[in-house]
Amino acid sequence: MFSLLAGFIKYLFSKTEVHVLILGLDHAGKTTLLEQSKGIFRKVQGIPPEKITPTVGLNVGKMDIEGCFVILWDLGGQVRMRSIWDKYYADAHGVVFVLDAADVGRFEEAKLAFASILDHEDLGDVPVLLFANKQDLPGALSEEDVAESFEIDRVLRHRVIQVHSCSALTCEGLESGVRWLVQEAKGLARKLD
Ligand SMILES: Nc1nc2c(ncn2[C@@H]2O[C@H](COP(=O)(O)OP(=O)(O)OP(=O)(O)O)[C@@H](O)[C@H]2O)c(=O)[nH]1
Ligand SMILES: [Mg+2]
C-alpha cells in the first residue's frame, strides 16, 4: 500500500522526461534554433547565431517546457552525418524537422530526408513538427506552401504532424511550435515510461 502511494506521489510530482530530435539538411538552421530556444525556455543566452558553426556529431540542450524536462538532440545535417540519425530514433518522443523554406533548390533533397524519417519503423508513433524556417528571408515559402509541397495532408491520416513557420534568427514562431511538439510528445513519453 505504502509503495503504491509513494509511486503515485512520485508520479504526481516528477517531471516527464521528453526526448526531442532536431533533424534536417545541413544549413537549415537546427543549431540556431536550439541555441535560441535556450534563451526562450531557460532564459539564458545560447551561442549567438553568428558564432554557430556546422555541427559535427551533435549538440544537446536541456530545458523545462510545458512542465516537462525536455532533452533536445540537434544532429548534424551534412550527408555523412545523416547516417547516424537513426541511432537516436528508438529513444525519441518527438521530431522537429527544420527546413530552409527560402532554399527551394534543395526541397527535393529535404523531402527525401523527411520521407526517410517518416518511413522509419522506430518513429512509428512519434509526433513531427516541420518548421518552415528562415521566414525573415525574401522568397521563403509560407507554412501553407510548404505543407502542400511536402504533401502533409496525406501524412496527416496516420501521424500527428504540423507545419509551423518560423525564423530561428528572429525567434518568430519558435516558441509556439516547440510548445505544440512537447505537448504532443509528452503523451508518448508517458505511455512508454
Ligand atoms: N536568415 C536566416 N538565417 C538563418 C535562420 N536560421 C539559421 N540561419 C542561418 O543559417 C546558417 C546555418 O545555420 P545552422 O543553425 O548552423 O544550421 P544547421 O541546420 O545546424 O546546420 P548543420 O549543423 O550543418 O546541420 C547560419 O548562417 C544561420 O545564421 C533564419 O531563421 N533566418
Ligand atoms: Mg548544426
Side-chain angles (χ1 to χ4, degrees):
M1 181 64 189
F2 175 76
S3 65
L4 251 180
L5 192 65
F8 182 62
I9 290 170
K10 187 170 169 239
Y11 172 79
L12 281 182
F13 291 99
S14 66
K15 278 192 173 145
T16 305
E17 188 172 301
V18 175
H19 303 155
V20 173
L21 287 180
I22 308 177
L23 305 171
L25 302 187
D26 49 291
H27 209 259
K30 300 179 294 299
T31 307
T32 308
L33 195 139
L34 174 72
E35 294 302 323
Q36 299 282 61
S37 297
K38 291 178 186 171
I40 296 170
F41 296 108
R42 273 177 36 187
K43 311 285 183 235
V44 295
Q45 181 74 53
I47 303 170
E50 65 279 7
K51 297 235 168 85
I52 291 171
T53 53
T55 305
V56 178
L58 82 161
N59 303 301
V60 182
K62 297 176 181 176
M63 48 200 90
D64 286 338
I65 305 172
E66 296 290 307
C68 300
F69 176 62
V70 181
I71 304 178
L72 298 122
W73 289 305
D74 155 37
L75 303 181
Q78 292 170 54
V79 175
R80 67 196 162 95
M81 240 76 79
R82 289 177 216 164
S83 58
I84 65 156
W85 286 1
D86 63 1
K87 308 282 181 290
Y88 295 85
Y89 290 173
D91 293 320
H93 305 126
V95 167
V96 175
F97 188 90
V98 183
L99 173 76
D100 181 341
D103 192 357
V104 181
R106 292 190 76 192
F107 265 32
E108 288 311 313
E109 186 186 358
K111 278 186 208 172
L112 283 177
F114 189 61
S116 78
I117 292 165
L118 297 184
D119 289 346
H120 200 286
E121 57 179 3
D122 288 349
L123 292 173
D125 296 329
V126 171
V128 173
L129 170 66
L130 172 52
F131 259 141
N133 191 31
K134 305 201 184 182
Q135 291 294 320
D136 58 293
L137 291 180
L141 256 61
S142 68
E143 188 170 285
E144 293 76 20
D145 288 341
V146 168
E148 198 184 325
S149 175
F150 278 67
E151 299 181 65
I152 297 302
D153 271 357
R154 209 164 46 83
V155 184
L156 259 175
R157 283 181 221 136
H158 48 88
R159 183 185 293 277
V160 176
I161 187 164
Q162 263 195 23
V163 184
H164 273 251
S165 53
C166 78
S167 165
L169 209 57
T170 66
C171 292
E172 202 173 332
L174 209 65
E175 182 171 351
S176 57
V178 172
R179 283 194 188 282
W180 173 81
L181 198 259
V182 171
Q183 272 293 346
E184 295 297 334
K186 189 199 287 193
L188 182 61
R190 283 201 175 140
K191 210 159 84 182
L192 299 176
D193 199 8

